[in-house]
């Protein structure tokens, strides 16, 4: 009886482990595909028409990666562990970005997305999330503090990601559209006020781990 119970428990752990590995691997490759898509589209259509070919994919990818990571976070670390984790803050930030920048019915014409900072955001997001998911998939072999990829991620791509996202959010506040409402405008302005201190805190934490 005990042997059967242990076997079933072991089988359940194995399934969870495989699902976790599939999620991390698929997220890493999907962010690599986002970067590849940007590399192909930008020379062909330029920044003016770039959102029409990539923005929908970007939003759905962020939703997949963020909800998947939140599920893993709460499932493996519990409520208290999740609430005190910087991973929660990162994914709430991602979901907020999609909520205010999806432009679901007119993203092809949204002036905010035609700014060059949109491309910077895609580069920073793609690299940081590729590295994040790949590192967590192979954390025992790719977690060296002196890794060149870790330094590039921390010293170049994370600042690029945070600065470009802040500028896009700022442009969104400065260019009202028919999705804008007074409560949403107030929320967006509040987020801009706290964005820099929180980003600096996250960046300082990352720097200290080098």
């Amino acid at each position: 009886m005990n042997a059967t119970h242990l076997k079933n428990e072991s089988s359940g752990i194995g399934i969870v482990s495989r699902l976790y590995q599939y999620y991390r691997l698929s997220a890493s490759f999907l962010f690599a595909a986002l970067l590849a898509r940007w590399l192909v589209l930008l020379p062909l259509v330029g920044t003016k028409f770039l959102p029409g070919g990539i923005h929908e994919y970007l939003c759905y990818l962020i939703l997949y990666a963020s909800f998947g990571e939140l599920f893993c976070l709460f499932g493996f670390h519990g409520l208290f562990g999740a609430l005190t984790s910087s991973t929660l803050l990162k994914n709430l930030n991602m979901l907020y970005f999609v909520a205010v920048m999806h432009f679901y019915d007119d993203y092809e014409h949204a002036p905010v997305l035609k700014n060059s900072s949109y491309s910077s955001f895609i580069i920073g997001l793609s690299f940081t999330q590729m590295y994040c998911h790949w590192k967590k998939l192979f954390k025992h072999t790719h977690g060296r503090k002196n890794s060149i990829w870790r330094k590039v991620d921390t010293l170049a791509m994370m600042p690029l990601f945070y600065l470009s996202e802040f500028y896009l959010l700022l442009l969104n506040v400065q260019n009202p559209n028919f999705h804008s409402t007074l409560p949403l405008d107030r929320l967006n302005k509040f987020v801009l006020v706290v964005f820099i201190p929180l980003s600096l805190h996250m960046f300082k934490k990352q720097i200290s781990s080098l």
Side-chain angles (χ1 to χ4, degrees):
M1 186 72 176
N2 289 335
T4 304
H5 177 73
L6 289 173
K7 184 177 180 180
N8 291 335
E9 186 176 344
S10 176
S11 177
I13 293 173
I15 292 173
V16 170
S17 176
R18 290 183 197 284
L19 287 174
Y20 176 80
Q21 291 171 356
Y22 171 78
Y23 162 70
R24 291 296 183 189
L25 188 62
S26 63
S28 185
F29 277 109
L30 287 170
F31 278 108
L34 173 67
L35 183 60
R37 192 168 186 158
W38 174 81
L39 287 169
V40 170
L41 285 174
L42 188 65
L44 294 176
V45 301
T47 57
K48 185 176 180 180
F49 299 104
L50 178 65
I54 204 169
H55 193 65
E56 188 174 9
Y57 177 84
L58 169 67
C59 290
Y60 281 120
L61 175 54
I62 290 176
L63 290 176
Y64 169 72
S66 296
F67 280 120
E69 194 157 43
L70 287 174
F71 182 80
C72 294
L73 180 64
F74 281 95
F76 295 146
H77 299 282
L79 180 61
F80 180 77
L83 292 177
T84 57
S85 171
S86 59
T87 302
L88 176 64
L89 186 61
K90 181 194 85 170
N91 286 288
L92 290 178
N93 172 49
M94 297 278 210
L95 294 174
Y96 169 78
F97 180 86
V98 173
V100 298
M101 301 286 285
H102 57 77
F103 301 112
Y104 65 90
D105 52 356
D106 63 344
Y107 55 83
E108 298 95 337
H109 307 102
V112 174
L113 302 181
K114 297 180 181 182
N115 188 274
S116 58
S117 57
Y118 183 63
S119 288
S120 300
F121 174 79
I122 290 174
I123 296 170
L125 174 72
S126 299
F127 192 95
T128 56
Q129 295 313 297
M130 269 192 297
Y131 179 75
C132 171
H133 291 286
W134 194 259
K135 180 183 66 175
K136 289 184 178 180
L137 182 61
F138 299 104
K139 59 183 177 181
H140 297 298
T141 56
H142 292 268
R144 299 192 307 273
K145 291 187 176 182
N146 60 348
S147 166
I148 184 63
W149 296 111
R150 186 182 179 91
K151 291 180 179 179
V152 169
D153 175 68
T154 301
L155 301 177
M157 292 302 164
M158 283 188 71
L160 179 67
F161 169 67
Y162 285 132
L163 290 172
S164 57
E165 182 185 4
F166 177 79
Y167 191 62
L168 286 172
L169 295 175
L170 180 63
L171 287 176
N172 189 51
V173 170
Q174 294 176 340
N175 294 272
N177 54 75
F178 62 86
H179 294 294
S180 300
T181 62
L182 184 58
L184 183 59
D185 286 341
R186 288 175 177 170
L187 174 63
N188 292 340
K189 290 175 182 177
F190 171 76
V191 170
L192 284 175
V193 170
V194 301
F195 187 90
I196 292 295
L198 287 175
S199 298
L200 288 174
H201 171 72
M202 298 283 285
F203 184 61
K204 182 179 178 181
K205 187 176 180 180
Q206 187 76 6
I207 285 285
S208 66
S209 67
L210 286 178

